Amino acid sequence: MAASCSLPGTQDLSALRAKLQGLLRFLREALSICNAHTVDFYTESVWEQLIDVPPETVLAVLKKATEEAEARPAEARPPPEAEGASGENVKPDEFMNLKKSHEVQAMSELISSVADYYGIKQVIDLGSGKGYLSSFLSLKYGLKVYGIDSSNTNTHGAQERNRKLKKHWKICHTQSKSDVNGLALKMAKGKKMQGEIQYKANTEEECNNSPTSQEMMSTSEFLPDFSVSVISNIRKQMENLHVCSHREENLCFANAFSLIDLLPINAIEPTTSSRMPKRKMSEANKERRKTTSKSTESNIYSPLTSFITADSELHDIIKDLEDCLMVGLHTCGDLAPNTLRIFTSKPEIKGVCSVGCCYHLLSEEFEDPHKECAQEKWGFPMCHYLKEERWCCGRNARMSACLALERVAVGGGLPTESLFYRAVLQDIIKDCYGITKCDRHVGKIYSKSSSFLDYVRKSLKKLGLDESKLPEKLIMDYYEKYKPRMNELEAFNMLKVVLAPCIETLILLDRLCYLKEQEDIAWSALVKLFDPVKSPRCYAVIALKRQQ
């Protein structure tokens, strides 16, 4: 039975539009930096075209900003290790991997809380992939989950994984609750993540190199100082947009509605000045969690294969569709906005929790205004204001929105040398082969190369170009020509990194404003659900419909 209680206040549509206007004013000046392609950095004289100061000045400004931020008192906040998603003694290295374990536990508890609020048991997981989230929701929280993915391979893998989970489920109810968590996730993927999380640059597609196995160069002496305090400054714009932090304050709102204590103190009515005690678990939630030790028909996960669009008819896919929640963990490209469109159009869907990713794969309505296209529903923009502005980010800017600022801040670094190699190679290709644009990708050549000369020869061979026509001296002359300017590329990439949250904020605000424009939405917000170092795409768009 659904709970009856008032929802916490959030900023209204007019306030969010004002934030959008300010963001657009800034991006009109900065968007050209975000859209510059690293591959063309030297061939198109990007630094000279866009930046009026030396690279040393840019790096010095960033370092100074770091020092000023460090001098201010840091905000009191518990360390990540203390912010357990379920309040249990969890050992992440026993799960699938640290990143996925962190995401699944945090998101599943939130989904369970929303399901408890509405008193419903059915969940639709779009882009369910290998079924990690779906399996956990079903086994731990007793929810009936339909996981829908466009890949047959993923669906078959999820079915096999779920079969093994059910086989071992009898073991779970004899163990402690924390052991149940561990077994469910361990069965989902039986291998451990070794060591610390490696930085994987999202610039991979721009430079066509994989940095995961490369020896990263230090981006600058200032990088170790580019710390959490600076990130806090950069994220201020997002915090001012009423982005809620998942456990920033352990608050409650009423018996059954807590959204696992995700909102900060200032999200509540101003009259609530004192910290409210943490709510007790609702009776409905207690009852459902008791049933998770039993294998019943209501406690199932059904993987399905279907390509989902904004116009997909759920009744054709799920025969027993009932009041439900729609969720998506790192839904790729247009699937994230389409999830929100399906939510607003289907009365059975009472709530949505969507964490998107792969912004570069979004379709943009105004990216190519001269190109005729029959597409009616685009990935971006969604809200009326940005449509009226005919705003376009551009693919490179959307790609830069995927850059992991927080991971760079903790020492992940940027693949400066591999990006430098690729940019110089492009100049060689342009001068020696007369090719200005090439659709073929170099790929993971850098990690397999012993030197710049080796990199160039292997890359040319992969691109189908005759590398024998270039003498060694000519190739090395290009290297010596641009080596003194490597700091330009380094400084430019750092600018793109610090601008990344601005593009991501624009995309997320667009989705939130779209939800605010709908009449039957009772509550909607952006929630910082994950630790951004573990999971850079950490913001969830959450919305709840009015109860009938």
Side-chain angles (χ1 to χ4, degrees):
M1 183 177 181
S4 58
C5 59
S6 60
L7 296 172
T10 63
Q11 288 186 346
D12 59 19
L13 182 59
S14 61
L16 291 176
R17 281 180 175 172
K19 300 292 185 182
L20 268 180
Q21 290 171 352
L23 187 55
L24 292 193
R25 283 195 297 270
F26 173 74
L27 286 176
R28 285 189 178 99
E29 302 295 327
L31 195 61
S32 57
I33 296 176
C34 302
N35 266 317
H37 208 305
T38 307
V39 168
D40 301 317
F41 187 78
Y42 296 121
T43 58
E44 297 185 5
S45 302
V46 170
W47 186 267
E48 293 89 339
Q49 294 292 325
L50 299 179
I51 312 295
D52 287 335
V53 296
E56 296 82 5
T57 303
V58 172
L59 296 176
V61 168
L62 290 174
K63 184 174 182 179
K64 183 180 179 181
T66 302
E67 293 170 348
E68 291 175 351
E70 296 263 347
R72 290 192 291 270
E75 296 180 5
R77 188 178 175 94
E81 302 82 39
E83 298 181 4
S86 59
E88 298 164 6
N89 296 323
V90 176
K91 297 179 180 179
D93 62 348
E94 294 181 359
F95 303 157
M96 52 200 105
N97 62 50
L98 289 177
K99 178 179 181 292
K100 187 60 67 176
S101 172
H102 172 66
E103 294 164 354
V104 167
Q105 290 182 84
M107 192 165 180
S108 63
E109 187 172 357
L110 185 146
I111 294 167
S112 173
S113 295
V114 178
D116 183 42
Y117 170 64
Y118 277 107
I120 60 181
K121 293 181 68 66
Q122 190 177 92
V123 175
I124 301 174
D125 181 8
L126 295 187
S128 55
K130 297 179 180 179
Y132 298 134
L133 177 64
S134 297
S135 296
F136 200 58
L137 286 170
S138 173
L139 293 175
K140 180 176 180 183
Y141 295 104
L143 293 166
K144 186 176 183 179
V145 185
Y146 287 96
I148 304 177
D149 196 89
S150 62
S151 168
N152 265 319
T153 301
N154 283 341
T155 300
H156 293 323
Q159 287 172 335
E160 177 62 18
R161 195 171 292 106
N162 198 48
R163 183 189 66 79
K164 294 178 180 178
L165 280 167
K166 287 182 177 180
K167 179 179 178 181
H168 291 271
W169 186 243
K170 289 183 179 181
I171 303 173
C172 296
H173 76 271
T174 63
Q175 301 176 353
S176 67
K177 190 176 182 181
S178 60
D179 287 337
V180 171
N181 293 342
L183 179 59
L185 290 177
K186 184 190 294 182
M187 289 301 301
K189 185 176 182 183
K191 66 178 181 180
K192 301 179 180 179
M193 178 182 232
Q194 298 180 358
E196 299 177 352
I197 298 175
Q198 294 181 343
Y199 172 70
K200 182 175 181 180
N202 283 294
T203 51
E204 176 179 342
E205 186 162 329
E206 284 189 324
C207 63
N208 302 313
N209 288 290
S210 174
T212 54
S213 59
Q214 297 171 10
E215 182 179 352
M216 305 297 182
M217 283 188 65
S218 172
T219 58
S220 171
E221 289 184 358
F222 84 93
L223 187 56
D225 299 323
F226 197 69
S227 63
V228 175
S229 55
V230 175
I231 301 307
S232 178
N233 279 345
I234 294 170
R235 287 292 188 192
K236 281 295 182 184
Q237 291 300 317
M238 297 190 81
E239 300 299 335
N240 291 337
L241 298 173
H242 198 81
V243 175
C244 309
S245 178
H246 171 226
R247 294 194 177 274
E248 188 166 317
E249 300 286 353
N250 291 322
L251 295 179
C252 70
F253 308 114
N255 288 338
F257 183 68
S258 76
L259 288 185
I260 54 171
D261 312 322
L262 59 90
L263 287 175
I265 189 75
N266 59 10
I268 311 303
E269 295 296 325
T271 54
T272 308
S273 58
S274 62
R275 188 162 175 159
M276 298 173 65
K278 187 164 181 167
R279 58 102 173 174
K280 296 180 180 180
M281 187 185 299
S282 72
E283 292 303 318
N285 200 28
K286 285 181 180 179
E287 185 62 29
R288 185 173 67 238
R289 294 193 183 192
K290 287 179 182 178
T291 66
T292 61
S293 64
K294 303 176 182 179
S295 179
T296 65
E297 286 301 313
S298 64
N299 178 19
I300 60 171
Y301 159 44
S302 302
L304 304 171
T305 301
S306 181
F307 184 81
I308 298 296
T309 69
D311 300 315
S312 294
E313 182 50 64
L314 294 179
H315 281 285
D316 293 338
I317 304 170
I318 302 171
K319 301 305 180 184
D320 62 341
L321 184 67
E322 58 188 49
D323 287 356
C324 63
L325 303 180
M326 181 163 280
V327 303
L329 175 54
H330 291 152
T331 46
C332 193
D334 281 359
L335 184 55
N338 284 340
T339 297
L340 303 183
R341 289 192 173 100
I342 295 172
F343 161 69
T344 58
S345 65
K346 306 299 181 185
E348 297 90 349
I349 307 174
K350 303 303 181 183
V352 66
C353 178
S354 172
V355 182
C357 70
C358 303
Y359 300 131
H360 59 291
L361 297 179
L362 283 171
S363 61
E364 282 203 75
E365 183 172 359
F366 306 110
E367 188 166 14
D368 190 353
H370 304 294
K371 181 180 179 181
E372 292 187 7
C373 184
Q375 185 171 341
E376 296 181 358
K377 296 176 181 177
W378 301 81
F380 180 89
M382 297 185 72
C383 72
H384 292 319
Y385 174 70
L386 290 182
K387 284 181 176 290
E388 292 168 358
E389 291 288 320
R390 299 181 66 83
W391 183 266
C392 172
C393 291
R395 190 179 189 278
N396 288 336
R398 286 182 278 113
M399 171 67 78
S400 71
C402 299
L403 292 170
L405 174 61
E406 284 82 359
R407 286 189 177 180
V408 173
V410 297
L414 288 171
T416 304
E417 187 173 72
S418 66
L419 296 174
F420 173 71
Y421 278 16
R422 185 62 183 89
V424 177
L425 172 68
Q426 191 68 13
D427 203 41
I428 293 175
I429 293 173
K430 178 183 177 182
D431 291 349
C432 301
Y433 298 90
I435 300 173
T436 56
K437 297 293 180 182
C438 182
D439 294 331
R440 298 189 63 183
H441 298 314
V442 171
K444 303 177 181 180
I445 299 296
Y446 173 81
S447 61
K448 304 171 184 176
S449 303
S450 59
S451 64
F452 177 73
L453 178 63
D454 187 38
Y455 171 84
V456 171
R457 296 213 180 279
K458 287 180 177 177
S459 298
L460 293 175
K461 187 177 293 185
K462 182 168 183 178
L463 293 173
L465 301 174
D466 182 11
E467 50 91 14
S468 64
K469 66 181 289 186
L470 299 184
E472 178 178 333
K473 184 179 184 306
L474 178 64
I475 295 174
M476 294 311 297
D477 283 347
Y478 275 92
Y479 178 83
E480 295 299 331
K481 174 184 176 180
Y482 288 112
K483 186 178 180 181
R485 296 178 56 192
M486 188 188 293
N487 60 346
E488 293 177 0
L489 185 60
E490 175 187 349
F492 191 79
N493 281 324
M494 284 307 305
L495 284 176
K496 294 188 75 170
V497 168
V498 299
L499 289 172
C502 301
I503 305 296
E504 182 175 29
T505 298
L506 179 66
I507 295 170
L508 294 176
L509 262 185
D510 173 54
R511 296 172 184 179
L512 182 59
C513 286
Y514 166 80
L515 292 171
K516 296 286 185 182
E517 292 167 355
Q518 312 305 312
E519 294 183 356
D520 63 339
I521 305 298
W523 186 89
S524 56
L526 297 177
V527 175
K528 189 175 183 180
L529 193 57
F530 310 135
D531 177 348
V533 175
K534 294 179 181 177
S535 181
R537 305 282 71 77
C538 60
Y539 290 95
V541 179
I542 301 177
L544 307 175
K545 285 182 180 174
R546 302 185 190 282
Q547 296 198 55
Q548 301 298 322

